[in-house]
Amino acid sequence: MRIRTAKDLGLLAREQRKRRGWGQAELAERVGVSRQWVVAFEGGKPGVELGLVLRTLHELGLELEIGGGEQSGGAPALESAVDLDALLERARRTDP
Amino acid sequence: MRIRTAKDLGLLAREQRKRRGWGQAELAERVGVSRQWVVAFEGGKPGVELGLVLRTLHELGLELEIGGGEQSGGAPALESAVDLDALLERARRTDP
DNA sequence: CTTAAAAGTCAACGATCGAAGACACTGCGC
DNA sequence: GCGCAGTGTCTTCGATCGTTGACTTTTAAG
């Protein structure tokens, strides 16, 4: 899932937490933050600290991936081949 | 690229900034933060605020993607079909 | 080699954070 | 309807943030 805002991320984290059957208090304990912090993060608070966010995502089994990175001045070099195996492998990991 | 720590992310942001030929001051101005913040972020400071991080990544043309999300208790339900077109489309957006 | 640009570092300050504690509200099983 | 678990919200407080300004060090252009 593409993330652009803190709200996007918070929503995703909440969904994943529920999928795991955890309450906010349980997640907070696992991560080592206060429950209030979890509430704020899930609510999309932009001021939350990056390190805690990363730890929380890890605890939720969510993986952060950065893509993009085109040169500012023009089109990126074209890949000459499409690696279907790699695509499938990634899809398997992302949308099991 | 897989991101686990604030340090990972900061390094990547620095590389991308350099690739674009921008100085820290220029990036700071584009994002609307102080140069000191850019220095701190690139240096991997975990306390930096998520909202500013996301804005910075966007300005650098980096896309944030979240994957993973397996059920905690067992194997996820298997999809019966693989949508190659969707996979390719997503790959095109993520790794152009 | 010289000099300017870029990057690193330090300090002060008002704003905000995260934690702890607690109360209010919601959802659900019995 | 009642009770309990989960979630939302409020307050206080010490710690940290991001900004501004400025000085130092490193890098790169000429």
Side-chain angles (χ1 to χ4, degrees):
Chain A
M1 178 180 168
R2 182 79 55 78
I3 300 295
R4 264 266 31 248
T5 65
K7 206 159 207 55
D8 293 338
L9 196 54
L11 267 176
L12 182 60
R14 178 169 285 169
E15 285 163 15
Q16 177 66 0
R17 171 176 62 79
K18 285 177 174 178
R19 223 180 286 154
R20 285 176 167 252
W22 296 344
Q24 295 177 326
E26 173 148 13
L27 176 59
E29 190 177 333
R30 286 168 179 273
V31 176
V33 295
S34 68
R35 186 178 70 79
Q36 273 74 17
W37 186 86
V38 171
V39 172
F41 169 53
E42 290 186 347
K45 183 175 149 74
V48 292
E49 108 177 33
L50 177 63
L52 295 183
V53 169
L54 294 174
R55 264 176 35 207
T56 304
L57 294 177
H58 182 67
E59 198 59 44
L60 287 168
L62 291 171
E63 297 178 335
L64 197 62
E65 193 88 27
I66 303 282
E70 296 90 357
Q71 283 282 44
S72 65
L78 289 177
E79 293 285 336
S80 59
V82 176
D83 188 346
L84 280 178
D85 283 339
L87 286 181
L88 283 169
E89 175 61 19
R90 182 159 36 167
R92 209 169 280 127
R93 276 192 268 118
T94 308
D95 296 311
Chain B
M1 178 181 167
R2 182 80 54 79
I3 299 296
R4 263 267 32 249
T5 65
K7 207 159 208 44
D8 294 339
L9 196 53
L11 266 177
L12 182 60
R14 178 169 283 168
E15 286 164 13
Q16 178 66 1
R17 171 176 63 78
K18 286 178 174 178
R19 220 179 287 154
R20 285 178 167 254
W22 296 344
Q24 295 178 325
E26 173 149 15
L27 176 61
E29 190 178 335
R30 287 167 176 274
V31 174
V33 295
S34 68
R35 186 178 67 80
Q36 273 75 14
W37 185 87
V38 172
V39 171
F41 169 52
E42 290 186 349
K45 184 179 152 72
V48 292
E49 109 175 34
L50 178 62
L52 296 183
V53 170
L54 294 174
R55 266 178 31 210
T56 303
L57 293 178
H58 181 68
E59 198 59 43
L60 287 168
L62 291 171
E63 298 177 336
L64 197 62
E65 192 88 28
I66 303 281
E70 295 89 0
Q71 282 281 46
S72 65
L78 289 177
E79 292 284 338
S80 59
V82 175
D83 188 345
L84 281 179
D85 282 339
L87 286 182
L88 283 170
E89 175 62 20
R90 179 146 51 145
R92 209 169 279 128
R93 274 190 269 120
T94 308
D95 296 310

